[in-house]
């Protein structure tokens, strides 16, 4: 219930002497039967006027009892809120106190929490919980009611064919919608309870959702942000829901897309103005829709073909450097439901890019450059489970182990030279230029390597094994920060 000033007027003299238009807003005037107020004054009064046939003493006692009961009822919920209850606990308590079914949905009308603790249900709520999101024809009903509403965040009352009504209450934060509360109302009395309680529950959910997040000030497309969050968190299971949400947003996406993820360093170089950064990224990266997820910025980049994302990397790098951030770029795809996979690809690209990129000025990492390292990382988890230790050198080709051992003993870098040679398609001229070596020196090193491993590098399978084995050792040394020759069983 909103905080209001309550006036009980028991005599005509009192009402005649009052200037009701100067009362604080919002106010409630309760008039006993002896008190008359002109109809024009009632219409112009910026508050609520109630008439009562009770005598003043009974009226005062009844109102005191009602307010005391309501206060006690509200306090029980406030105690739960102070105990840092989850969204589901708040919804369960709200449904129990109101005696009706209650759902909390995202700004894209996908179910986040639902409680059936209320005794009565409705066809609207049954369909919502069955599908997991608001679909036709109920979505059409909500959209029509939203269009007819005076304000965008107005509370809606939607009558249903089964005789119930659905109350839709918007939850906003910094003028941005972050979700809706849906209540089932069966009569006028329950409607009043719901309308009073919706602001209390909405406030509690808003506090629960926004506490501890650092990018909540972003004021972009909340419906698209909600869809991206649900895709990442695997809360959307079919394309029909995605199509419905896109229709609500009046948004048409190309079939092929890829994800760019902006991740900020734990200690940023300067405070990050999220809205400014988002606007700059939308300007610098063509065909992109930019939103946020947790502490990161997510960029949905639309592609015409399965190509690399093309943009002004120098300008984007300058923006990233200024605010202490990096970008990971996923593989392109046409499968929207697998966005979680591409989000994790971006995370892996950043994780390995920071550890295995020699150029400290490079802040943009493509997953394709670190795909093998990610595979080795996943292999490492399974390896420990299967073999009861984490030493991946037992998966490596013995030839690379011997070469690394030789380097450690003679203080040489033949393993690094070999990997560069293999990455350059065994082109000695190109490799020599990359490593700043004379071509004859390069040829000598390759001959030395072939004699040590006792195998020709013309064998394609052997080359593949050497590359994988080299990366497995680099993974242990440079990422895990352990010496593979000193790992013991544990």
């Amino acid at each position: 219930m909103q905080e209001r000033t309550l006036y009980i007027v028991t005599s005509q003299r009192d009402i005649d002497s009052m200037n009701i238009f100067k009362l604080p807003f919002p106010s409630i005037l309760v008039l006993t039967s002896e008190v008359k107020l002109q109809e024009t004054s009632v219409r112009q009064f910026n508050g609520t006027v109630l008439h009562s046939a009770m005598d003043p003493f009974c009226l005062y006692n009844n109102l005191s009892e009602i307010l005391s009961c309501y206060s006690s009822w509200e306090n029980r919920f406030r105690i739960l809120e102070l105990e840092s209850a989850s969204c589901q606990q708040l919804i369960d308590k709200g449904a129990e106190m109101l005696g009706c079914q209650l759902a909390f949905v995202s700004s894209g009308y996908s179910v986040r929490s639902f409680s059936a603790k209320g005794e009565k249900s409705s066809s609207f709520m049954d369909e919502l919980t069955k599908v997991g999101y608001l679909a036709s024809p109920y979505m059409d009903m909500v959209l029509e009611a939203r269009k007819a509403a005076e304000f965008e965040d107005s509370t809606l009352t939607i009558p249903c064919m089964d005789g119930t009504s659905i109350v839709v209450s918007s939850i906003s934060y910094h003028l941005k919608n972050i979700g809706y509360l849906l209540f089932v109302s069966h009569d006028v009395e329950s409607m009043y309870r719901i309308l009073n309680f919706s602001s209390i529950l909405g406030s509690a959910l808003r506090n629960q959702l926004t506490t501890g997040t650092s990018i909540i000030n972003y004021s972009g497309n909340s419906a698209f942000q909600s869809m991206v969050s649900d895709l990442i968190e695997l809360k959307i299971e079919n394309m029909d829901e995605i199509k419905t949400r896109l229709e609500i947003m009046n948004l048409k996406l190309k079939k092929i897309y890829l994800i760019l993820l902006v991740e900020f360093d734990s200690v940023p170089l300067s405070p990050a103005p999220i809205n400014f950064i988002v606007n700059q990224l939308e300007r610098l990266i063509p065909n992109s829709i930019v939103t946020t997820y947790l502490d990161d910025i997510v960029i949905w980049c639309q592609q015409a073909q399965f190509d690399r994302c093309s943009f002004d990397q120098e300008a984007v790098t300058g923006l990233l450097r200024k605010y202490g951030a990096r970008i990971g770029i996923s593989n392109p795809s046409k499968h929207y439901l697998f966005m979680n996979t591409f989000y994790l690809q971006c995370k892996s690209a950043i994780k390995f890019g920071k550890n295995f990129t020699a150029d400290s000025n490079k802040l943009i990492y493509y997953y394709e450059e670190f795909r093998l390292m990610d595979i080795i990382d996943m292999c490492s988890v399974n390896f420990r489970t299967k073999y009861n230790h984490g030493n991946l050198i037992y998966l490596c080709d013995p030839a690379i182990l011997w070469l690394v051992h030789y380097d450690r003993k003679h203080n040489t870098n033949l393993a690094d030279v070999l990997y560069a040679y293999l990455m350059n398609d065994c082109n000695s001229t190109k490799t020599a230029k990359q490593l700043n070596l004379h071509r004859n020196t390069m040829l000598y090193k390759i001959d030395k390597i072939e004699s040590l491993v006792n195998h020709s590098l013309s064998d394609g399978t052997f080359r593949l094994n050497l590359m994988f084995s080299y990366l497995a050792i680099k993974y242990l040394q440079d990422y895990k920060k352990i010496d593979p020759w000193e790992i013991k069983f544990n």
Side-chain angles (χ1 to χ4, degrees):
M1 182 181 288
Q2 291 178 310
E3 293 184 6
R4 301 186 183 190
T5 305
L6 177 65
Y7 296 88
I8 302 176
V9 185
T10 59
S11 71
Q12 189 64 40
R13 184 181 62 182
D14 291 338
I15 195 66
D16 291 340
S17 63
M18 290 176 65
N19 186 344
I20 63 173
F21 301 109
K22 289 187 176 181
L23 295 180
F25 175 80
S27 294
I28 301 175
L29 277 176
V30 181
L31 311 180
T32 58
S33 56
E34 294 82 9
V35 181
K36 307 298 180 184
L37 189 62
Q38 292 183 1
E39 190 63 31
T40 54
S41 297
V42 173
R43 288 197 300 268
Q44 294 172 6
F45 176 56
N46 195 10
T48 304
V49 178
L50 302 175
H51 297 273
S52 173
M54 293 183 184
D55 66 78
F57 183 75
C58 290
L59 176 61
Y60 179 81
N61 285 341
N62 273 272
L63 284 174
S64 296
E65 184 179 354
I66 291 170
L67 290 173
S68 176
C69 290
Y70 182 85
S71 178
S72 175
W73 183 74
E74 181 182 347
N75 286 337
R76 293 201 305 273
F77 184 81
R78 294 295 189 191
I79 290 171
L80 184 67
E81 181 184 358
L82 291 172
E83 292 174 347
S84 300
S86 66
C87 285
Q88 186 60 54
Q89 289 174 316
L90 294 172
I91 294 296
D92 285 341
K93 189 64 175 178
E96 177 188 326
M97 293 170 69
L98 291 169
C100 71
Q101 287 192 331
L102 171 58
F104 169 52
V105 299
S106 69
S107 56
Y109 294 95
S110 176
V111 177
R112 292 294 182 88
S113 300
F114 169 76
S115 180
K117 290 194 174 184
E119 296 179 359
K120 300 178 181 179
S121 63
S122 75
S123 56
F124 180 102
M125 204 65 85
D126 291 342
E127 181 69 14
L128 175 69
T129 53
K130 177 183 176 182
V131 179
Y133 61 96
L134 199 58
S136 296
Y138 297 109
M139 175 57 74
D140 299 331
M141 294 165 59
V142 172
L143 293 179
E144 286 300 317
R146 182 69 61 198
K147 288 178 183 177
E150 184 177 358
F151 302 106
E152 187 176 346
D153 59 349
S154 298
T155 298
L156 309 177
T157 303
I158 303 170
C160 297
M161 296 293 292
D162 59 4
T164 63
S165 294
I166 301 299
V167 179
V168 183
S169 177
S170 176
I171 304 174
S172 300
Y173 185 78
H174 285 197
L175 303 179
K176 178 184 71 172
N177 175 268
I178 58 176
Y180 298 96
L181 284 169
L182 307 179
F183 304 84
V184 178
S185 173
H186 294 272
D187 48 45
V188 175
E189 185 180 345
S190 67
M191 179 73 74
Y192 280 124
R193 289 200 305 269
I194 289 168
L195 292 174
N196 281 325
F197 186 68
S198 62
S199 61
I200 298 171
L201 180 55
S203 174
L205 284 170
R206 179 171 58 246
N207 293 337
Q208 202 277 345
L209 291 168
T210 57
T211 300
T213 52
S214 60
I215 279 189
I216 52 177
N217 292 325
Y218 172 59
S219 59
N221 187 330
S222 59
F224 187 77
Q225 183 182 39
S226 173
M227 187 184 79
V228 167
S229 297
D230 286 348
L231 283 169
I232 292 174
E233 295 171 9
L234 302 176
K235 293 180 179 177
I236 299 178
E237 298 179 353
N238 57 73
M239 278 299 299
D240 289 339
E241 179 175 353
I242 295 177
K243 290 176 181 177
T244 300
R245 293 204 190 191
L246 292 175
E247 288 174 4
I248 294 171
M249 292 181 271
N250 195 25
L251 185 62
K252 292 184 178 180
L253 299 177
K254 293 181 180 179
K255 288 185 177 180
I256 303 171
Y257 76 105
L258 51 78
I259 299 301
L260 294 83
L261 187 73
V262 180
E263 184 180 282
F264 294 88
D265 293 339
S266 55
V267 182
L269 298 180
S270 60
I274 297 303
N275 282 293
F276 171 77
I277 295 174
V278 166
N279 290 334
Q280 291 299 304
L281 290 170
E282 286 180 333
R283 181 179 64 84
L284 294 170
I285 301 175
N287 303 313
S288 64
I289 306 174
V290 186
T291 186
T292 59
Y293 176 71
L294 299 180
D295 291 331
D296 302 324
I297 294 175
V298 179
I299 305 169
W300 182 296
C301 187
Q302 303 183 76
Q303 300 282 100
Q305 298 177 338
F306 286 90
D307 297 330
R308 266 196 172 200
C309 182
S310 178
F311 55 91
D312 187 342
Q313 296 212 2
E314 184 177 350
V316 172
T317 298
L319 184 68
L320 297 174
R321 185 179 296 110
K322 181 176 181 180
Y323 295 106
R326 304 166 193 270
I327 281 183
I329 304 177
S330 75
N331 290 336
S333 175
K334 62 179 181 179
H335 300 292
Y336 292 1
L337 289 173
F338 287 90
M339 184 186 170
N340 170 269
T341 299
F342 307 115
Y343 167 79
L344 293 176
Q345 285 183 357
C346 294
K347 284 287 188 181
S348 294
I350 295 171
K351 177 174 70 174
F352 295 119
K354 290 193 291 187
N355 284 273
F356 294 102
T357 301
D359 184 1
S360 60
N361 292 318
K362 185 175 180 179
L363 301 174
I364 300 172
Y365 314 114
Y366 287 85
Y367 178 75
E368 63 191 57
E369 298 172 351
F370 303 98
R371 183 182 293 111
L372 285 177
M373 200 59 73
D374 195 27
I375 292 172
I376 292 169
D377 188 43
M378 290 184 280
C379 177
S380 174
V381 176
N382 275 337
F383 185 89
R384 179 174 290 278
T385 302
K386 184 174 182 178
Y387 294 103
N388 199 37
H389 67 90
N391 200 339
L392 293 178
I393 64 170
Y394 293 102
L395 290 182
C396 298
D397 193 297
I400 202 73
L401 299 178
W402 168 241
L403 201 59
V404 172
H405 178 74
Y406 180 91
D407 282 341
R408 289 161 67 98
K409 184 176 180 179
H410 297 89
N411 196 27
T412 55
N413 66 337
L414 294 180
D416 295 337
V417 171
L418 171 61
Y419 182 71
Y421 181 67
L422 296 175
M423 288 296 291
N424 284 304
D425 296 325
C426 298
N427 185 318
S428 57
T429 301
K430 190 176 179 180
T431 308
K433 184 177 181 180
Q434 177 186 329
L435 300 178
N436 294 319
L437 296 174
H438 191 277
R439 186 170 181 275
N440 290 338
T441 304
M442 183 67 213
L443 293 173
Y444 167 78
K445 287 181 178 287
I446 294 302
D447 289 340
K448 181 68 175 178
I449 289 168
E450 285 191 323
S451 66
L452 287 172
V453 301
N454 195 28
H455 202 297
S456 171
L457 296 179
S458 61
D459 183 337
T461 302
F462 182 56
R463 292 199 304 271
L464 182 62
N465 287 338
L466 290 177
M467 291 177 68
F468 172 85
S469 301
Y470 175 87
L471 288 174
I473 294 173
K474 294 291 285 183
Y475 170 84
L476 291 172
Q477 291 179 331
D478 297 348
Y479 179 66
K480 288 293 188 178
K481 308 298 182 185
I482 56 179
D483 188 338
W485 277 266
E486 294 182 1
I487 294 181
K488 299 179 181 179
F489 284 91
N490 51 31

